Amino acid sequence: MRIGVLGASRIAESAIVAPAHALGHRLVTVAARDRARAEEFAQRHGVERVSDDYAAVLADPEVDLVYNPLANALHAPWNIRALEAGRTVLTEKPFARNAAEAREVAAVAQRTGGRIVEAFHYLFHPVTQRVFEIARSGELGDLTGVEVVMAMPEPDAGDPRWSLEMAGGAIMDLGCYGLHVCRMLADAAGAGGAPRVVSAQADERDPGVDAATTIDLEFPSGVPARSVNSMVHPRFEFTMRLLFTGGEVFAHDFIRPNLDGRVSVTDASGVHVERLSTRPTYHYQLDALAAHLETGAPYPLDVDDAVATMELVDAAYRAAGLAPR
């Protein structure tokens, strides 16, 4: 594939540059608000050329796939423009600022026949796939509880994740993962379908911007789930714990399994540690997307999935007494 990048962001280095080089795809162009920054990014990461602005990336006839890692508030506007330009889009999460905006993007995708997918990279890795396999198989019995922790040290004060205008906040940056995990467990043994938000508690850093938020959910069967999120944690912590009638399964770092690819399974005979792939999640994601675009291989994420996740994000903000972005 020939890839165009919107913005010279740090996440782009691990999320698209590294997997593109590893898998043999071309990074044909990048644009940034500061051209000098784009030129430095292109030189450092082997991007073939620099475009004058984001619109020029969308207009480039050599671009097959647009990668959008811009600030949250810019996701939907540039996703829409990319779709209207006839481009396939891999957009960073969250898909939009809120569910209404997500529906606007989905409507454009339907009208144009364009393809846009949200970058929930964790879903494609063997660590997550193993956890979900256990949940669906019933080998540990029925699901009785879920806890997803997404925590990180505090970003710099000027980081857009602290900006309400840029649609920042812990739920937007981190909680969308936990909510997505819970949605993906809708068909787990004992879940009974998609979860709903029951309550949420937020610690605000600035008015309307959550620094840490805990979200409680419930599956139709009555099984509880919790999404714990913090942008002011002393360390990185990205874990997934599923409880069952006959044991539990724990992913030690499902976001960065390249650093820790363990899954610990507890059953009646004790704790069994499975050591799975330490290949980065982003490589699996780009592999799956390329296969889908080139051969029509199945791909698990679409605009309906993105809208459903943003509906939970909005519900979590309302439950915490904050307005959706």
Side-chain angles (χ1 to χ4, degrees):
M1 292 188 296
R2 299 171 300 180
I3 301 168
V5 182
L6 303 181
S9 66
R10 282 174 294 180
I11 186 63
E13 298 180 19
S14 55
I16 201 70
V17 170
H21 286 318
L23 302 173
H25 301 295
R26 289 171 56 194
L27 296 165
V28 296
T29 187
V30 62
R33 287 175 297 171
D34 178 354
R35 186 180 177 91
R37 189 160 175 247
E39 289 173 346
E40 190 274 334
F41 183 94
Q43 183 175 17
R44 183 155 44 97
H45 297 300
V47 183
E48 295 173 16
R49 58 182 176 275
V50 172
S51 290
D52 290 335
D53 52 30
Y54 301 151
V57 173
L58 306 186
D60 193 317
E62 287 199 38
V63 171
D64 300 315
L65 175 70
V66 170
Y67 172 64
N68 180 359
L70 300 173
N72 293 342
L74 301 178
H75 287 176
W78 284 102
N79 288 340
I80 287 172
R81 291 187 64 170
L83 288 167
E84 289 177 336
R87 301 302 173 205
T88 296
V89 187
L90 173 64
T91 180
E92 274 304 328
K93 50 77 200 164
F95 192 71
R97 287 184 299 183
N98 51 54
E101 200 173 69
R103 293 187 197 100
E104 292 177 15
V105 178
V108 173
Q110 184 176 18
R111 172 171 56 81
T112 61
R115 185 78 170 115
I116 178 168
V117 295
E118 194 171 14
F120 277 119
H121 53 98
Y122 81 95
L123 186 63
F124 301 90
H125 198 276
V127 163
T128 295
Q129 291 299 311
R130 176 59 178 145
V131 172
F132 286 2
E133 176 187 43
I134 292 171
R136 291 165 180 150
S137 71
E139 61 189 82
L140 292 179
D142 284 343
L143 188 70
T144 61
V146 177
E147 182 183 71
V148 181
V149 175
M150 295 288 300
M152 60 177 286
E154 184 173 341
D156 294 338
D159 193 289
R161 285 172 287 188
W162 292 124
S163 167
L164 185 61
E165 182 182 4
M166 287 290 101
I171 296 177
M172 293 293 282
D173 191 59
L174 301 171
C176 59
Y177 279 103
L179 296 174
H180 194 264
V181 166
C182 291
R183 286 193 52 254
M184 294 296 100
L185 289 167
D187 63 350
R196 65 181 181 89
V197 173
V198 175
S199 64
Q201 298 78 40
D203 295 327
E204 293 180 75
R205 166 158 170 145
D206 295 312
V209 179
D210 51 319
T213 306
T214 297
I215 309 163
D216 287 306
L217 304 98
E218 185 179 71
F219 290 94
S221 63
V223 170
R226 174 165 284 186
S227 171
V228 179
N229 313 283
S230 176
M231 297 198 300
V232 289
H233 200 60
R235 63 188 182 281
F236 289 101
E237 187 175 352
F238 303 124
T239 61
M240 186 194 319
R241 186 185 305 274
L242 275 57
L243 305 176
F244 302 89
T245 52
E248 71 171 61
V249 58
F250 180 74
H252 293 252
D253 194 337
F254 75 104
I255 297 298
R256 306 176 305 169
N258 52 303
L259 301 181
D260 190 341
R262 290 177 297 160
V263 172
S264 294
V265 181
T266 303
D267 59 20
S269 64
V271 180
H272 312 277
V273 178
E274 301 180 10
R275 300 183 184 277
L276 301 175
S277 171
T278 54
R279 184 183 185 224
T281 54
Y282 297 111
H283 291 54
Y284 283 96
Q285 174 180 253
L286 194 59
D287 244 351
L289 183 56
H292 173 68
L293 297 175
E294 294 168 6
T295 71
Y299 197 81
L301 303 177
D302 57 18
V303 292
D304 292 337
D305 177 81
V307 170
T309 299
M310 290 311 302
E311 288 173 345
L312 278 186
V313 168
D314 285 4
Y317 272 118
R318 292 190 184 101
L322 302 177
R325 307 296 85 166

